[in-house]
Amino acid sequence: MPRWLPLCTAAAALLAFVATLGGGFLGDDFAYIARFHALPFSNWPALFFKEWSGGLWGYPLVELRPVTALSFIIDSRLFGGDATGYRLMNLVCHAATTAVVTMLAWKYGAGNIGCALVAGLVFAFHPSHAEAVAWITGRVDVLPTLGGLLFWLASGRWEAGGSRLALAAAMVALAAGLFAKEMCLFAPALLLLLWVTAGLRADRALWRRRIVLLVCVAGLLAIYAVCRRLAFGGEMGGTGTPWENEDAWRRQLSYFLWIFPVLPIEGVLQFEGLGRVPLIKTVLAVLGIATVLGLGLATWKAKRTAATVIFFTAGWWLITIGGLLFVPYFSPRHLYFPSTGLAIGLALVLSQLGRRLRWPIAAMLLAWVATAHYHAIQPWILAGQTSRQLSAKIAATHGPDSLLLTSVPNAIGPAWMWAWASPFAFGPPFQEVPPAPESVFVSKGNHFNPDRWTLSRGALLAAISDKAHVSVIAVDPDGRIHHRSIERTALAEELQSLATTEAHVISDDEWNLWVHSLTRPPPVNRNSPL
């Protein structure tokens, strides 16, 4: 393979997201970075036997992710409260994953440069990757994908030459992927399926090396299972049997629509899906049966190319997307791993076409993917820029003798803002001089634990009493920031219009409307002699 080929697609992946480097932290970023910034390195090994969040959301998660945690620990030591370094690490991981996708497409495309190039570019610009790459916490899907694909790459080297170094590299990559996120379990399962379909007629020597690899994988999976057992006991995660869960099947339709880059779905289809559940089940069942029959026929007829194409398109999708039935919420970043097979499969399909059709179709496909990516990335760029400006405004205006009132939307379009994690956003390492918790008031919807941040007239009056002045910051849904400083006596008067009794609890809507009204300058008294 020419060395320039993976470098070219990796550069394209960097180019696709370079505009996000100037953004700040978003959503869960504040919570996880604050946690791992304060976590000593000596405490990290314990994360192999306990859930990684430490209960920061108010309840434990069934998630064993020490490798992802380690990436946050290292980044927090290197970059502190500067989001640029964290974002650069996401971009580097995305570029590396794109390069590996290109290498695998070269291998399974029989050394076709055009096939490898198209696969790499489709993956680099796929619109579903906006959340996974532009959101720092989205690396929880990038890292296991990179680990799983490196496992594939190193396994191929082991199969080809029997290099023990390649075998060791495969195990290290798989271990890193598994302990980054459990979705990496798909990697060895998919490789085994490819062997028994497109590679069933390999010679005995090759199968002996494959069996050695499978034994090593089984040993690693046993270690992983023990770690999960120690961390969670009998609870292994998931939402139970999803067959009767209508929301789960509607999410499947959303994933089905999102995974095709030629369908840049917007609005309600993107997050909720449409259609009757029995119809969705029927269509997906028909696709599944057709895929199994196609793979079986291609294997029986020894049509290796056909089996490989079917595997990387429909087969890869059925396995990876089917696993998302057990995930209780929809997110485009969950498609990061499934889209690797799609990118390779699309490139393999194009490579089977004649030249007169291949390149025009490839050009239209890439243009469509790039256009969809552009629209998908814009909200994340805006949200990141708004978050950085907001943090700077808070640092510049809030002092030890002031009260801070804020209204920040949970999201700008599909891009998170400060949802669920605002308490962390006001602490280290994001603010050099963190304000005291009792001097900050925000809407309940921004917090992971609303009972701890109940807003009432009495609480505000008590906080105003010992502050010299008040800073008010409000952010519009389109990212515009409004700021105003108010004397505490004036704020006490404004507060009378918000609540009638001291015990009255302020709702999110009341709070947001009130804070936005406070940022408007007072009306000019035209009867004044001034």
Side-chain angles (χ1 to χ4, degrees):
M1 182 180 61
R3 293 183 179 180
W4 60 265
L5 191 55
L7 292 176
C8 178
T9 56
L14 291 173
L15 179 64
F17 288 93
V18 69
T20 66
L21 284 178
F25 300 102
L26 299 170
D28 295 11
D29 297 348
F30 293 104
Y32 285 113
I33 291 170
R35 164 166 165 71
F36 294 118
H37 177 264
L39 187 73
F41 267 111
S42 58
N43 290 2
W44 173 70
L47 295 180
F48 282 88
F49 311 104
K50 61 175 63 174
E51 67 98 2
W52 74 314
S53 74
L56 59 85
W57 302 115
Y59 54 88
L61 303 176
V62 189
E63 298 175 351
L64 193 68
R65 299 172 181 177
V67 170
T68 305
L70 179 61
S71 75
F72 282 126
I73 294 173
I74 294 173
D75 280 4
S76 66
R77 301 306 193 271
L78 293 175
F79 310 119
D82 185 0
T84 303
Y86 298 84
R87 289 179 170 276
L88 182 60
M89 293 301 294
N90 273 32
L91 264 65
V92 169
C93 291
H94 177 55
T97 307
T98 303
V100 179
V101 169
T102 306
M103 296 177 189
L104 291 174
W106 167 272
K107 174 183 177 180
Y108 294 107
N112 187 313
I113 291 180
C115 174
L117 186 62
V118 169
L121 293 177
V122 167
F123 184 80
F125 287 94
H126 198 285
S128 70
H129 299 168
E131 184 178 36
V133 183
W135 185 31
I136 294 170
T137 306
R139 72 174 58 171
V140 76
D141 286 277
V142 178
L143 290 177
T145 300
L146 178 58
L149 296 184
L150 286 174
F151 163 75
W152 267 59
L153 200 62
S155 296
R157 301 281 177 87
W158 161 252
E159 286 184 76
S163 167
R164 293 182 180 180
L165 181 60
L167 179 62
M171 292 301 101
V172 169
L174 182 59
L178 282 174
F179 286 103
K181 188 178 180 180
E182 54 277 2
M183 65 177 290
C184 195
L185 287 166
F186 286 127
L190 288 167
L191 186 59
L192 179 60
L193 178 60
L194 182 63
W195 285 347
V196 299
T197 53
L200 184 62
R201 299 176 187 273
D203 58 40
R204 291 184 179 180
L206 184 56
W207 269 107
R208 282 196 295 267
R209 288 193 289 271
R210 289 175 175 176
I211 291 172
V212 170
L213 180 66
L214 289 176
V215 170
C216 294
V217 169
L220 179 59
L221 293 180
I223 295 172
Y224 179 73
V226 169
C227 290
R228 287 195 68 92
R229 173 69 65 172
L230 292 174
F232 310 119
E235 186 178 1
M236 302 304 285
T239 58
T241 303
W243 182 256
E244 300 301 329
N245 187 336
E246 294 192 358
D247 289 337
W249 286 100
R250 290 193 177 94
R251 289 194 298 270
Q252 285 289 295
L253 177 60
S254 291
Y255 286 125
F256 179 79
L257 294 171
W258 243 115
I259 202 168
F260 288 97
V262 295
L263 295 173
I265 303 301
E266 300 291 342
V268 68
L269 286 178
Q270 177 177 335
F271 288 101
E272 298 177 8
L274 293 174
R276 297 180 178 180
V277 171
L279 178 61
I280 298 172
K281 290 181 178 180
T282 301
V283 171
L284 296 181
V286 169
L287 288 175
I289 294 172
T291 301
V292 172
L293 292 176
L295 277 174
L297 182 62
T299 302
W300 180 50
K301 294 289 188 178
K303 301 292 185 179
R304 182 174 180 178
T305 300
T308 303
V309 170
I310 296 172
F311 167 80
F312 276 108
T313 51
W316 189 289
W317 173 78
L318 283 172
I319 293 175
T320 55
I321 300 301
L324 295 176
L325 276 168
F326 295 89
V327 179
Y329 64 95
F330 174 86
S331 178
R333 64 182 171 83
H334 294 156
L335 291 172
Y336 195 83
F337 187 89
S339 63
T340 59
L342 175 72
I344 296 172
L346 285 174
L348 291 175
V349 170
L350 289 174
S351 68
Q352 301 303 308
L353 301 177
R355 290 187 177 182
R356 291 184 178 181
L357 289 177
R358 181 189 313 165
W359 295 115
I361 293 176
M364 288 189 292
L365 174 64
L366 293 176
W368 206 330
V369 171
T371 302
H373 167 80
Y374 174 81
H375 289 287
I377 201 67
Q378 295 309 305
W380 292 95
I381 295 174
L382 176 59
Q385 293 172 343
T386 303
S387 179
R388 183 178 286 274
Q389 294 167 6
L390 182 59
S391 292
K393 179 69 71 174
I394 290 172
T397 60
H398 186 64
D401 295 327
S402 66
L403 189 70
L404 177 62
L405 311 181
T406 66
S407 172
V408 183
N410 285 345
I412 295 178
W416 305 120
M417 268 296 294
W418 286 22
W420 314 308
S422 286
F424 303 101
F426 300 106
F430 312 108
Q431 297 291 332
E432 292 186 6
V433 183
E438 61 271 12
S439 69
V440 178
F441 285 84
V442 305
S443 63
K444 293 188 297 180
N446 285 93
H447 298 289
F448 67 91
N449 192 352
D451 294 339
R452 181 180 164 190
W453 298 86
T454 300
L455 290 169
S456 67
R457 178 186 169 195
L460 280 171
L461 285 172
I464 292 172
S465 62
D466 61 347
K467 300 297 181 182
H469 68 279
V470 179
S471 294
V472 183
I473 298 177
V475 181
D476 290 340
D478 61 1
R480 287 180 295 177
I481 300 175
H482 306 276
H483 168 258
R484 183 184 167 206
S485 294
I486 305 177
E487 295 296 327
R488 64 178 183 177
T489 55
L491 180 65
E493 294 176 0
E494 293 281 357
L495 189 57
Q496 300 301 321
S497 65
L498 178 64
T500 57
T501 64
E502 293 188 4
H504 177 75
V505 176
I506 305 167
S507 69
D508 281 354
D509 289 339
E510 287 178 313
W511 174 262
N512 292 326
L513 290 173
W514 184 64
V515 171
H516 274 77
S517 69
L518 293 178
T519 61
R520 304 188 189 102
V524 177
N525 185 357
R526 298 188 181 278
N527 296 324
S528 171
L530 297 179

